[in-house]
Amino acid sequence: MQIQARTIADENPFSRSGQFFEEVTKRLAGREALQMTHGDLERLLDKDGRELIRRLLQDHLDLRGPGDVTGEVVGAREVRRPQARLRERKLETIFGTVTVSRTGYSGRDAETLFPKDAELNLPPELYSHGVQRRAAEEVVKTSFDQAVAAILSTTGAAVPKRQLEALAGRAAEDFDAFYYGRSADSLREAKKTGEVLALSTDGKGITMRPADLREATRKAAADRIHKMSKRLSPGEKSNYKRMAQVAAVFTIAAFLRKPEDIVTDLGSVRDGDNDNAGPRPRPEHKRVWASIDKSPKAVIDQMFQEALARDPARDKRWVALVDGNPSQLALIKKAGRRHGVEPTIVLDVIHVLEYVWMAGIALHSKGSPTTQRWVSERLLEILRGNSSVVAAGMRRSATLRGMKTKERLAVDDCADYLLKYRRHLRYDQYLAAGLPISTGVIEGACRHLIKDRMDITGACWGLQGAEAILKLRSLRSSGDFDDYWAFHENAEYIRNHRDLYAGTPPATVLPLKVFRRGHLSLVR
């Protein structure tokens, strides 16, 4: 077999990195190092160790050669590239900057193709996938400025803020494709989980730049006139927000309880967390995500699609947990009809309790034991399925006390709320069926995905940057980041390399390396 490859003259292609390793060991054995504290030694080895790894990577890339091919290089649309030319490019890695020498193949009016780039799955930009992943991990935790500093202090790479923002966008671009392709996995996992399939959604505002506000909000911001020049007057806003829609889908084991298991002596709620009810089951295979770019309708549609991927035969008991927002409730009902599903809609019991407390304070007084008993008694009746009776009773109490319209406003608001949503307050049936009755999962998602990162002091977001961060934080919160990143790197290979060729990228010729003096072997 005839082999066309270059022979590496040096018996040890890693001699340069090996020489640096010897320098490091000599330095560690020297008088100066022997007088160092362990902290000084850690800092020395952190710097020298990273440089050693960078040199090892550089030697390895040099060992692999420029990526010559033996046959023709044919690009997409069958365009041949007969001309070969050696070129170099820089690659910023987590260990530092390396140089990649590779052969480029070109033709008339055709972009140059680099088979070695495909072999290494090199990104088109300067920063390696390792640096891009580290950037994605940092920007979801803290501000871009702090992420720049964190990358600089923990890696050998330096990524300016503007480039970091661009990398975050690139890192998140396969989000929808990743979850769309996971339907089969979701189906297999769903069979092993609890019999209740829960869906929940809510909105949360994010402070945006004026150009990225929705049209109605942007117009209101443009028309706003401040009454005072030095400060805001009461009721005025310093900025405007755009609503992000948050969604959650999870399965959970049915958990049978009684109304008495929920209510405590103080009228507060413990959703199943007491001795009588037993240990509370935890959500399984929870996925949470948010979008500020997509409309609430689109996000809620995605929520139903995710649920259907987990339970296409509708074998589980579907429940939609809501907080009473009329527009969201209407969208959930419409989405259910479109997808041929009618989930049991449950109004969050915590929101109900807040209305009952306000009514109790209006009828009695704040912090009074009488108020606490009144709230506990009414809540217990609501949990027994008697919300309409409770609404009528509190109105009657306000009338008998001769309360004026303003004094009884909280009472009437609570009664109106209970009557308006009485179809979704059948807690006696929900508890008997073992369904969850609170929206803790989606409220936690709103806090983790949005408030903890997007609402930091001084943050004012652009649409694309906010959407990218929400997607990356969603992946981390759902425990899917590692799987996503493997999917993302494969997608990068497809769009940056495989799709540029007719068929698959051609295999490169590997070099001949001297393993033992006088013996040549082909590196496979």
Side-chain angles (χ1 to χ4, degrees):
M1 179 179 67
Q2 183 179 4
I3 299 176
Q4 297 181 11
R6 67 185 182 88
T7 301
I8 298 176
D10 196 333
E11 290 188 15
N12 179 12
F14 296 95
S15 59
R16 288 170 294 185
S17 49
Q19 182 180 355
F20 184 77
F21 175 75
E22 291 180 1
E23 293 173 3
V24 172
T25 56
K26 288 180 181 178
R27 190 154 50 247
L28 288 172
R31 182 179 299 275
E32 181 179 354
L34 292 173
Q35 296 175 349
M36 288 182 176
T37 66
H38 86 279
D40 292 332
L41 288 169
E42 282 181 321
R43 285 184 284 274
L44 174 66
L45 285 174
D46 181 49
K47 179 182 177 182
D48 287 350
R50 195 179 295 151
E51 174 61 16
L52 174 61
I53 298 174
R54 187 199 69 80
R55 295 191 183 208
L56 285 167
L57 176 59
Q58 182 67 72
D59 286 345
H60 173 84
L61 294 172
D62 293 341
L63 168 65
R64 293 175 72 150
D68 296 331
V69 299
T70 56
E72 282 188 311
V73 175
V74 183
R77 298 183 297 277
E78 302 297 327
V79 178
R80 285 168 169 73
R81 290 162 170 79
Q83 301 170 6
R85 181 182 177 185
L86 187 65
R87 298 185 182 181
E88 291 184 345
R89 62 158 291 179
K90 300 294 184 182
L91 182 67
E92 187 92 340
T93 76
I94 57 175
F95 313 117
T97 305
V98 295
T99 301
V100 185
S101 298
R102 69 263 209 272
T103 302
Y105 292 85
S106 61
R108 179 176 296 180
D109 298 327
E111 64 176 317
T112 303
L113 296 180
F114 299 91
K116 187 176 180 181
D117 286 11
E119 182 179 88
L120 293 169
N121 193 16
L122 296 183
E125 59 273 296
L126 172 66
Y127 304 101
S128 71
H129 285 145
V131 172
Q132 293 183 35
R133 172 165 182 157
R134 188 67 61 87
E137 291 171 336
E138 291 297 333
V139 297
V140 300
K141 296 186 291 186
T142 185
S143 69
F144 285 107
D145 288 327
Q146 291 176 322
V148 168
I151 294 171
L152 186 62
S153 65
T154 60
T155 73
V159 187
K161 181 178 177 179
R162 180 166 295 184
Q163 281 73 20
L164 189 65
E165 293 175 351
L167 290 182
R170 283 286 306 279
E173 65 180 317
D174 296 307
F175 179 86
D176 289 333
F178 169 71
Y179 280 109
Y180 180 80
R182 290 214 327 165
S183 296
D185 292 336
S186 298
L187 176 59
R188 285 191 293 270
E189 292 297 329
K191 294 179 180 179
K192 309 173 187 176
T193 59
E195 57 269 40
V196 178
L197 179 61
L199 302 82
S200 193
T201 186
D202 201 359
K204 184 71 174 176
I206 299 175
T207 302
M208 304 293 290
R209 297 168 186 162
D212 291 314
L213 294 169
R214 287 195 167 91
E215 184 176 355
T217 312
R218 185 169 59 249
K219 183 178 180 181
D223 294 341
R224 180 178 59 195
I225 300 176
H226 291 305
K227 299 175 183 177
M228 295 186 291
S229 59
K230 299 296 183 181
R231 57 171 295 175
L232 297 175
S233 61
E236 285 189 315
K237 299 178 180 179
S238 61
N239 46 55
Y240 276 87
K241 293 185 176 183
R242 176 171 174 149
M243 295 299 292
Q245 193 68 26
V246 187
V249 177
F250 59 93
T251 51
I252 192 169
F255 186 43
L256 277 62
R257 293 147 294 167
K258 298 177 180 179
E260 293 78 8
D261 295 328
I262 306 298
V263 180
T264 69
D265 293 338
L266 296 178
S268 60
V269 171
R270 302 185 305 185
D271 191 0
D273 187 14
N274 59 51
D275 295 336
N276 294 331
R280 179 180 179 177
R282 307 299 301 172
E284 304 162 310
H285 299 286
K286 179 176 65 177
R287 180 194 165 194
V288 297
W289 72 101
S291 176
I292 196 166
D293 186 23
K294 293 184 174 68
S295 67
K297 175 180 178 294
V299 173
I300 290 172
D301 265 339
Q302 280 188 326
M303 182 176 70
F304 274 84
Q305 291 164 7
E306 172 73 18
L308 283 168
R310 299 180 181 213
D311 185 30
R314 283 78 157 176
D315 293 328
K316 297 183 182 296
R317 178 70 182 269
W318 286 47
V319 56
L321 301 163
V322 300
D323 65 1
N325 182 289
S327 61
Q328 292 176 8
L329 186 57
L331 288 172
I332 288 173
K333 292 178 179 179
K334 290 178 181 178
R337 289 193 290 269
R338 280 195 302 273
H339 294 284
V341 181
E342 188 175 356
T344 300
I345 298 177
V346 177
L347 190 66
D348 175 40
V349 71
I350 303 297
H351 282 75
V352 175
L353 179 59
E354 290 173 356
Y355 275 90
V356 176
W357 265 110
M358 295 305 295
I361 292 171
L363 287 168
H364 301 284
S365 61
K366 189 173 184 179
S368 166
T370 302
T371 305
Q372 295 175 354
R373 286 194 299 271
W374 187 91
V375 170
S376 294
E377 291 169 358
R378 272 64 189 173
L379 178 60
L380 183 58
E381 286 303 309
I382 292 170
L383 291 168
R384 288 172 175 169
N386 300 322
S387 59
S388 296
V389 175
V390 172
M394 65 175 64
R395 273 200 173 127
R396 185 164 53 252
S397 295
T399 301
L400 291 174
R401 290 166 186 260
M403 298 175 70
K404 297 179 180 179
T405 302
K406 187 175 182 180
E407 294 173 337
R408 62 179 290 165
L409 183 60
V411 176
D412 290 330
D413 284 346
C414 181
D416 290 342
Y417 188 81
L418 294 176
L419 293 173
K420 179 180 180 180
Y421 294 111
R422 60 184 178 274
R423 292 181 54 196
H424 309 308
L425 299 177
R426 298 166 181 167
Y427 293 118
D428 55 330
Q429 300 176 21
Y430 307 151
L431 295 175
L435 303 182
I437 61 172
S438 68
T439 57
V441 169
I442 196 66
E443 290 175 3
C446 288
R447 183 175 65 254
H448 295 311
L449 294 182
I450 296 178
K451 184 175 178 58
D452 291 350
R453 173 64 179 93
M454 317 299 287
D455 202 23
I456 59 177
T457 303
C460 191
W461 294 88
L463 182 59
Q464 293 181 346
E467 183 74 2
I469 297 300
L470 287 175
K471 288 178 177 178
L472 294 174
R473 285 183 69 83
S474 298
L475 288 163
R476 191 180 71 162
S477 295
S478 301
D480 292 330
F481 189 85
D482 289 340
D483 290 342
Y484 170 78
W485 197 260
F487 179 90
H488 172 67
E489 286 194 6
N490 184 64
E492 285 276 277
Y493 171 77
I494 292 171
R495 61 175 156 259
N496 294 331
H497 303 294
R498 195 191 71 182
D499 288 350
L500 303 181
Y501 293 85
T504 58
T508 63
V509 175
L510 296 176
L512 289 171
K513 171 182 175 292
V514 179
F515 281 106
R516 299 183 182 87
R517 188 179 301 276
H519 297 278
L520 295 179
S521 300
L522 179 64
V523 178
R524 298 189 182 277

